[in-house]
Amino acid sequence: MKSITRYLVVNISIWALLAALGAGVFLTSLFRSAAENSFDEQLDIVLKVLVGNLATQLFSSEELSKPDNLGQPRFELPLSGWYWTVSKVKGDELLYGSLSLGGENFSIETESAKQYTGGIGRYLLGRGPDQKKIRILERQIAFGPDQSYYIRVTGNAEELNAQVSQFQNRAWLLMALFGAVLLIVSLLLVRSALKPLGVLQKKVRDVANGNSLTIVGDYPVEVAGLVEEANILISSNQETLERARTQLGNLAHALKTPLSVITNEVRSSGRDNADLLVQQVAVMRDQIQLYLDRARFAARHNTIGKVTDVSPILQKMASVMGKIHPGIDVALLSEDTDKISFRGEAQDLEEMIGNLVDNACKWAKTQVVISLYPKRLLQHDVNETKPRSITRNWLTIIVEDDGHGLAEAEIEIALKRGLRLDESKPGSGLGLSIVSELAGLYRGEFALSRSELGGLQATLVLPAYKE
């Protein structure tokens, strides 16, 4: 299971259920054994009283009479389930029985595996005259030749079973309550034990959102090492980023001057192939810029904890582009997006929006509209094979113009780096390809389509941070 809480709760629930089940079986079995022993002890006492009564009669006279009252009212209540009988062994002839039999006799069905421990005898099961289950204690007594008797004492087995059943119901209810309490206590303990992980998650989110430079706080020893290693990784990431920026800046500066010198020297040389050499130098400059941009973009987008407010940048771009292109009305439309932010570098967002708005202003007739939405509008993820970013929140920026637009075949050409559809407009042909590359690095999407205004619509989907 991916959830530690779920894993612990499920396993604790299983063990709590097994513990409650085992305890219930043990208690009910123990109670049944104790109840049967107590029941049998009562029968044994009555049987001993009967044996003593008969022995007294036989030693005092030759005539055997019905035993006196045993002091047990239950043996006088009709069909109470509590009976006693005295029978001759030969032919099992009934001589005397308790008043509770009402002149009838009970039947014997099966012999119990439990032997009578008070002497020679056995336990049996049977049914009384009313067909109710009874438990029988039987003993054979011999007082002399032709004076062997079966003395049987019975008890109401249904009362015993009802008593055991009542205890079982209460025991299972108690075990269910015990299991529920154990589960609740275990859940509270699990939540309490895992609470530091929730705190750690919030601190890591603070770092990811740029609210903190490191993961702070005191944590249990089980995760303290993880926090320490994560802080080392964050610090190393920041240092690597700064070194990469410095080295890329130095490399760009070091290459620009030699390339400019070569270009000037070739042009002033008057050689026949000067134009070809100048063209090749321009290709070199573009290729160098391409890979420098890619390295710079990759370094920036992997930076932890960069969050940029979107609305101020859009407002600034709309204002700046309106001044650069005075004949174009640049309008900004947005939903309630004051609290939405781009999860990334402000420089990258400015570069993407600047390229899109500048391109729209160049080709618009009179109007450019910038729209911001706090959700994902493109349904097809062009980067679905790549790992997702930290967040599942997205923002969508749409830039439209009322120009002549592009056909589907022209859209594919427009996204290729350095290719221009119209040389009459200034530019290097890199703007849309830069936007596409930056969007891809942030696991976002970039698409061109026909605008309702008549011109081109550029749709940009980027990861967002929402408070």
Side-chain angles (χ1 to χ4, degrees):
M1 297 183 183
K2 293 183 178 181
S3 171
I4 297 177
T5 302
R6 186 179 304 166
Y7 173 81
L8 292 175
V9 169
V10 169
N11 280 273
I12 290 174
S13 300
I14 293 174
W15 285 108
L17 178 63
L18 292 177
L21 182 62
V25 171
F26 176 76
L27 287 177
T28 54
S29 176
L30 190 64
F31 179 81
R32 173 176 286 276
S33 177
E36 288 181 352
N37 289 336
S38 176
F39 193 86
D40 292 341
E41 287 177 0
Q42 295 181 51
L43 297 181
D44 182 55
I45 292 173
V46 175
L47 187 142
K48 289 179 179 178
V49 171
L50 280 173
V51 171
N53 192 303
L54 294 175
T56 301
Q57 292 185 42
L58 289 173
F59 286 126
S60 61
S61 63
E62 295 183 358
E63 292 294 331
L64 185 67
S65 61
K66 185 175 181 180
D68 297 333
N69 183 16
L70 302 178
Q72 294 282 348
R74 290 179 294 185
F75 291 98
E76 298 180 2
L77 294 175
L79 304 178
S80 64
W82 294 83
Y83 314 119
W84 61 262
T85 60
V86 178
S87 305
K88 287 187 176 182
V89 173
K90 187 176 181 180
D92 199 10
E93 177 187 354
L94 178 65
L95 296 179
Y96 302 110
S98 63
L99 293 177
S100 56
L101 281 171
E104 300 185 27
N105 200 358
F106 51 79
S107 61
I108 299 174
E109 294 183 349
T110 58
E111 180 178 349
S112 171
K114 181 179 178 182
Q115 295 297 315
Y116 173 48
T117 59
I120 300 174
R122 58 181 178 170
Y123 287 98
L124 307 106
L125 298 177
R127 292 186 179 274
D130 56 355
Q131 299 304 309
K132 291 183 179 180
K133 292 181 179 180
I134 56 175
R135 185 174 177 85
I136 306 169
L137 175 59
E138 176 188 89
R139 184 177 178 182
Q140 182 178 347
I141 303 295
F143 295 100
D146 297 328
Q147 288 185 324
S148 295
Y149 303 95
Y150 282 131
I151 301 176
R152 299 184 178 106
V153 179
T154 76
N156 193 332
E158 293 189 356
E159 291 182 4
L160 174 64
N161 293 334
Q163 185 180 8
V164 173
S165 178
Q166 184 180 23
F167 178 83
Q168 285 179 336
N169 293 335
R170 293 177 179 177
W172 286 120
L173 177 60
L174 180 62
M175 289 303 103
L177 293 176
F178 169 74
V181 171
L182 180 61
L183 180 60
I184 293 173
V185 172
S186 301
L187 180 59
L188 293 176
L189 290 176
V190 168
R191 291 178 64 88
S192 177
L194 296 181
K195 187 176 181 180
L197 294 182
V199 176
L200 177 59
Q201 181 184 17
K202 294 180 181 179
K203 297 301 181 181
V204 172
R205 188 183 296 116
D206 288 340
V207 174
N209 294 335
N211 298 327
S212 178
L213 296 178
T214 59
I215 303 173
V216 297
D218 295 327
Y219 301 96
V221 293
E222 289 79 5
V223 296
L226 175 63
V227 173
E228 182 178 356
E229 295 297 329
N231 283 330
I232 293 174
L233 179 62
I234 294 170
S235 177
S236 176
N237 181 78
Q238 296 290 344
E239 293 175 0
T240 302
L241 174 65
E242 294 302 325
R243 286 198 300 269
R245 285 176 173 173
T246 301
Q247 293 172 2
L248 289 172
N250 294 339
L251 179 60
H253 181 73
L255 292 175
K256 283 181 181 179
T257 300
L259 288 175
S260 298
V261 171
I262 292 173
T263 301
N264 294 334
E265 289 297 322
V266 170
R267 284 176 177 171
S268 62
S269 65
R271 299 176 59 176
D272 294 337
N273 60 348
D275 291 339
L276 177 60
L277 293 176
V278 170
Q279 183 181 3
Q280 293 302 311
V281 171
V283 172
M284 291 172 59
R285 182 185 292 110
D286 288 342
Q287 290 297 316
I288 292 171
Q289 188 63 41
L290 167 63
Y291 289 104
L292 285 175
D293 287 345
R294 286 182 176 177
R296 176 168 54 87
F297 297 157
R300 286 214 302 259
H301 114 273
N302 284 324
T303 303
I304 297 175
K306 296 297 181 181
V307 177
T308 304
D309 291 336
V310 178
S311 294
I313 291 180
L314 294 184
Q315 293 171 2
K316 183 177 76 172
M317 288 298 169
S319 176
V320 171
M321 292 302 171
K323 295 177 181 179
I324 296 175
H325 305 277
I328 304 298
D329 178 22
V330 182
L332 176 60
L333 303 177
S334 64
E335 297 182 2
D336 183 16
T337 55
D338 292 338
K339 295 183 179 180
I340 189 171
S341 300
F342 164 58
R343 192 182 290 274
E345 288 273 359
Q347 295 173 334
D348 292 340
L349 183 60
E350 290 178 355
E351 189 155 8
M352 287 185 284
I353 302 303
N355 280 320
L356 291 179
V357 179
D358 182 57
N359 185 75
C361 290
K362 289 178 182 177
W363 300 102
K365 295 177 181 178
T366 60
Q367 185 181 16
V368 171
V369 178
I370 307 172
S371 303
L372 173 62
Y373 302 94
K375 56 188 174 182
R376 186 189 196 97
L377 294 183
L378 290 178
Q379 299 300 319
H380 176 63
D381 186 356
V382 296
N383 294 294
E384 57 188 7
T385 60
K386 297 182 180 181
R388 287 288 187 184
S389 58
I390 297 175
T391 179
R392 290 183 177 271
N393 294 324
W394 300 91
L395 62 89
T396 300
I397 300 172
I398 297 178
V399 180
E400 305 173 86
D401 64 74
D402 60 352
H404 56 76
L406 295 176
E408 292 185 5
E410 293 176 323
I411 289 176
E412 184 177 355
I413 297 174
L415 292 175
K416 293 184 178 179
R417 190 178 186 94
L419 295 183
R420 300 171 60 193
L421 295 171
D422 191 343
E423 298 291 338
S424 64
K425 300 290 185 179
S428 61
L430 302 176
L432 295 181
S433 64
I434 289 175
V435 175
S436 181
E437 289 176 9
L438 273 174
L441 288 172
Y442 282 104
R443 308 294 184 257
E445 300 177 61
F446 176 61
L448 297 176
S449 60
R450 172 70 66 174
S451 169
E452 294 182 358
L453 299 178
L456 186 67
Q457 173 177 306
T459 304
L460 181 63
V461 176
L462 296 172
Y465 167 69
K466 297 179 182 179
E467 295 182 355

